[in-house]
Amino acid sequence: MKITAVKTYICHAYRTNWVFVKIFTDVDGLHGVGEATLEYKEHTVARACHELESLLIGKDPHRIEEFWHSAYRDAYWRGGAVLMSAISAIEMALWDIKGKDLGVPVYQLLGGKVRDSIACYANGWFAPANTPDEFAEKARQAVSQGFSALKWDPFGSAYLQIDRKQLNDALECIGAVSEAIKDKADIIIEAHGRFDIPTAVRIGQALGDFDILWYEEPIPPQNLEGLAEVKRRVPVPVSAGERLYNRWEFRSLFDLKAADFIQPDVSHAGGIMEIKKIAAMAEAYHIPICPHNPSGPVANAATLQLAGNLPNFYLLETMSSDVPWRSEISTEEVRFEKGKMFISDKPGLGIDINEEAIKKHPYQPKELRHYKGTLTDIRPLDASSYFKQ
């Protein structure tokens, strides 16, 4: 079997644009799909996927480890979001081909299942809330769907520092949500890497008044030593890792004891096997893995395969709703019951994309919302569930 072509597709998804890759083979009907969604660099990462074609065309798609090693070794400027996202998407698609060719789901190729389903926490549940009362009502609705935890960023447009009113507003919002879902679900506080060290510590100490599950990315991701300092000085668990791009970067995080939970993203950290390797490193430190998973249907399918296989997989990040055309642009079938997603038993990743439907939702430029005070503008008014109950 040989690889014959690599194609990429960009699909508007309101908050961002999904980036998909499809790898074709000379076996009729056998292809694989991956996802490289990289917010605000969609065209760049799609181009990076095509720049890797020389390592793929005419090659055996089953030789996944060889492709990964060559793609990483031969990039003189190694690592980074663009290269690693392109490698991730292609690696994902190669696993999809391998699973389909052998007639088994990807988790089977990784060593088999350790569970049939995984508990989920919700992101995006809050849209378009702005006041504490609105957040509280949205929280009650999300918990009624069965989610075991809710995550959001309550810090408005703050950057590096936060003034007293902004902090009090954030704490009021956290208090309203905490009271609304008391004894029913956990809360997770997202900071999007926005604060300097003293501000992150000040906020983390204030969060000690709430029984939060974790405090996510309190400072910018490049400073792991600073993250370790924040972790030592706050009374709440800390999570990080969505903007770390391979096992070597995670090694530094582990050595520094900088996080209680790790959150690599299958579309950015090197793909399925790289996350399995990172998870094995985390397991040696007794650290749970809760992958970053706010993107599209193919990334979700790949993350679920990992959820089925990894012993230290703890919680799955889940978008509680999405654009209504999510069900049109792929064959995704997400079974969601009592707050858990079930792992697909279909061959490969268990999903395909619909090229014609994607064409109906072409790329639209988007900008980062985090410092504009529009964080809750994450879903359109006609957003809908994509779960099968």
Side-chain angles (χ1 to χ4, degrees):
M1 188 194 307
K2 304 295 181 186
I3 295 171
T4 58
V6 177
K7 292 186 178 181
T8 54
Y9 312 84
I10 301 179
C11 179
H12 172 53
Y14 190 78
R15 175 183 69 90
T16 183
N17 292 271
W18 293 320
V19 181
F20 303 115
V21 62
K22 183 182 282 191
I23 296 181
F24 296 84
T25 72
D26 58 1
V27 175
D28 188 38
L30 182 57
H31 61 264
V33 294
E35 183 171 343
T37 297
L38 184 62
E39 292 89 337
Y40 326 120
K41 291 290 183 288
E42 297 94 336
H43 290 299
T44 308
V45 75
R47 182 62 218 159
C49 289
H50 289 291
E51 289 174 348
L52 293 170
E53 283 180 304
S54 62
L55 298 173
L56 295 164
I57 303 301
K59 303 295 179 61
D60 180 356
H62 284 289
R63 298 176 67 157
I64 302 171
E65 192 73 38
E66 180 183 48
F67 157 75
W68 201 104
H69 179 74
S70 296
Y72 189 81
R73 179 199 65 188
D74 293 351
Y76 185 76
W77 308 105
R78 295 176 179 175
V82 174
L83 172 65
M84 296 308 297
S85 298
I87 291 175
S88 298
I90 290 170
E91 191 258 15
M92 211 182 298
L94 295 178
W95 279 107
D96 192 29
I97 290 171
K98 184 183 283 286
K100 289 173 180 174
D101 189 40
L102 299 176
V104 296
V106 167
Y107 70 73
Q108 206 69 276
L109 304 172
L110 302 176
K113 277 184 180 178
V114 296
R115 63 181 65 83
D116 295 314
S117 61
I118 190 72
C120 300
Y121 74 85
N123 196 344
W125 55 272
F126 45 80
N130 284 300
T131 68
D133 287 345
E134 290 171 345
F135 272 93
E137 178 55 31
K138 286 287 185 179
R140 283 187 283 266
Q141 293 173 13
V143 169
S144 71
Q145 292 180 266
F147 290 107
S148 60
L150 306 181
K151 182 172 83 174
W152 81 107
D153 180 338
F155 301 112
S157 60
Y159 176 60
L160 294 182
Q161 292 89 37
I162 191 167
D163 64 37
R164 184 170 296 277
K165 183 179 187 309
Q166 285 178 308
L167 179 55
N168 287 339
D169 287 347
L171 296 175
E172 183 182 359
C173 182
I174 294 167
V177 172
S178 181
E179 185 63 29
I181 62 174
K182 187 177 182 180
D183 299 327
K184 295 178 181 177
D186 286 305
I187 59 175
I188 298 168
I189 302 304
E190 165 75 89
H192 285 119
R194 64 167 76 226
F195 298 115
D196 60 24
I197 289 175
T199 305
V201 170
R202 178 188 179 196
I203 292 169
Q205 290 172 346
L207 292 176
D209 292 338
F210 306 94
D211 186 18
I212 72 168
L213 194 58
W214 69 67
Y215 179 23
E216 184 167 328
E217 258 198 334
I219 69 169
Q222 297 83 7
N223 184 2
L224 295 179
E225 293 83 0
L227 182 66
E229 180 180 345
V230 172
K231 179 176 174 290
R232 285 193 296 269
R233 293 171 60 185
V234 300
V236 293
V238 169
S239 73
E242 70 182 63
R243 287 185 277 183
L244 301 181
Y245 302 116
N246 52 54
R247 76 197 85 150
W248 298 280
E249 294 186 0
F250 275 93
R251 181 193 64 182
S252 298
L253 181 145
F254 297 137
D255 287 346
L256 290 164
K257 299 179 174 60
D260 298 288
F261 301 89
I262 61 163
Q263 300 172 288
D265 188 312
V266 72
S267 288
H268 307 313
I272 289 170
M273 183 55 73
E274 188 69 359
I275 287 192
K276 183 170 174 63
K277 293 175 181 179
I278 291 166
M281 295 167 69
E283 189 178 4
Y285 286 87
H286 300 104
I287 293 175
I289 178 171
C290 309
H292 183 244
N293 183 44
S295 300
V298 179
N300 187 65
T303 306
L304 280 169
Q305 293 296 305
L306 286 161
N309 171 256
L310 301 179
N312 55 329
F313 200 114
Y314 173 43
L315 272 179
L316 176 66
E317 180 173 16
T318 307
M319 302 309 293
S320 60
S321 65
D322 214 328
V323 291
W325 56 89
R326 177 164 172 152
S327 60
E328 301 168 9
I329 60 95
S330 79
T331 60
E332 181 179 43
E333 293 184 2
V334 175
R335 181 181 164 201
F336 181 77
E337 295 178 7
K338 297 180 180 179
K340 293 186 175 183
M341 273 194 189
F342 284 75
I343 288 90
S344 171
D345 294 319
K346 294 179 179 179
L349 298 179
I351 193 170
D352 204 350
I353 57 173
N354 184 335
E355 298 174 38
E356 293 305 312
I358 289 172
K359 291 177 183 177
K360 297 177 183 177
H361 305 282
Y363 169 85
Q364 292 188 27
K366 292 290 179 179
E367 295 181 351
L368 187 69
R369 311 174 323 282
H370 299 168
Y371 310 116
K372 297 181 178 180
T374 56
L375 274 170
T376 61
D377 186 20
I378 194 172
R379 288 290 178 261
L381 294 177
D382 60 350
S384 59
S385 172
Y386 55 97
F387 308 140
K388 295 184 181 298
Q389 301 288 344

